[in-house]
Amino acid sequence: MLAFLFAIATPTDEEIFKADAERAFRAYSKMVYKHAFLRTGNVSDAEDILSEVFVRLVKNTEKIKNEVHLKAWLIRATINCSNTYYKRSKRINQVRLTDVDAPEVNSENSVLSAVLALPIHQKTVVYMYYYEGYSVEEIANLCGVARGTVKSRLARARETLKSTLEGVDLDV
């Protein structure tokens, strides 16, 4: 009897990870929605962007290499979709806070209102830096801008928020 030896190749991380859109939606839909809402200031627009991002994910699952790449890809896709939204609708500086089912937005939340009033580029870096925990370098890579640009946007956003919230009694 002949014995055959088969070489069993161990799969690489890229082969093991295959983006599963349903799992990705369960894990990252809140993050994408919050980022879209922060950029648009509107629940229905944020929902549209959320849908578009995951439609794009379904079409591009083969491009995703691992979990870290998936999260970065989703953030970048959210930024791109919201930029497309602004170009299409020409609502660059319009922020609507009238939606009753807006996440964590109410008349008492002056910090969130102040962040939503920031220019779009400043809102983006504030969200990614403080909420998502990305470093300046990571934000620069995700947004396709220089590190110095991210630093200056953060500094300007902090200045604006400081002057806006000066004298506001915050419950911390």
Side-chain angles (χ1 to χ4, degrees):
M1 182 153 71
L2 296 171
F4 291 99
L5 294 176
F6 292 98
I8 299 175
T10 54
T12 64
D13 286 345
E14 290 180 14
E15 292 169 338
I16 292 172
F17 182 84
K18 183 170 182 164
D20 176 11
E22 182 181 346
R23 185 184 56 77
F25 185 81
R26 278 186 263 121
Y28 296 110
S29 61
K30 258 187 180 174
M31 176 197 71
V32 170
Y33 177 79
K34 286 178 182 181
H35 194 87
F37 179 79
L38 183 74
R39 292 180 63 88
T40 63
N42 182 288
V43 171
S44 60
D45 295 336
E47 288 171 350
D48 290 345
I49 290 170
L50 173 70
S51 299
E52 177 64 25
V53 166
F54 282 96
V55 165
R56 288 182 184 188
L57 177 64
V58 168
K59 292 178 181 178
N60 295 292
T61 54
E62 70 283 349
K63 295 179 182 177
I64 309 299
K65 297 179 175 118
N66 56 42
E67 196 72 25
V68 174
H69 184 234
L70 172 63
K71 186 175 179 182
W73 188 93
L74 288 170
I75 289 174
R76 187 67 230 169
T78 304
I79 291 169
N80 290 342
C81 286
S82 60
N83 288 344
T84 302
Y85 160 79
Y86 278 117
K87 288 176 187 171
R88 249 190 260 142
S89 63
K90 296 181 182 175
R91 298 181 195 178
I92 293 176
N93 291 319
Q94 181 181 11
V95 176
R96 296 178 293 184
L97 296 175
T98 57
D99 296 314
V100 290
D101 56 344
E104 304 169 25
V105 174
N106 57 42
S107 59
E108 298 168 3
N109 195 340
S110 57
V111 174
L112 182 57
S113 296
V115 170
L116 288 170
L118 291 171
I120 190 77
H121 297 301
Q122 291 177 11
K123 277 193 265 194
T124 300
V125 296
V126 165
Y127 173 79
M128 293 174 77
Y129 187 80
Y130 290 106
Y131 187 78
E132 290 298 324
Y134 282 103
S135 69
V136 170
E137 186 71 37
E138 292 169 324
I139 296 169
N141 289 335
L142 284 169
C143 293
V145 296
R147 280 187 67 208
T149 303
V150 173
K151 285 181 174 182
S152 67
R153 287 177 182 173
L154 274 172
R156 287 185 186 127
R158 287 179 189 128
E159 267 182 45
T160 304
L161 290 171
K162 182 180 176 183
S163 65
T164 302
L165 298 172
E166 222 169 56
V168 175
D169 186 27
L170 298 175
D171 274 342
V172 181

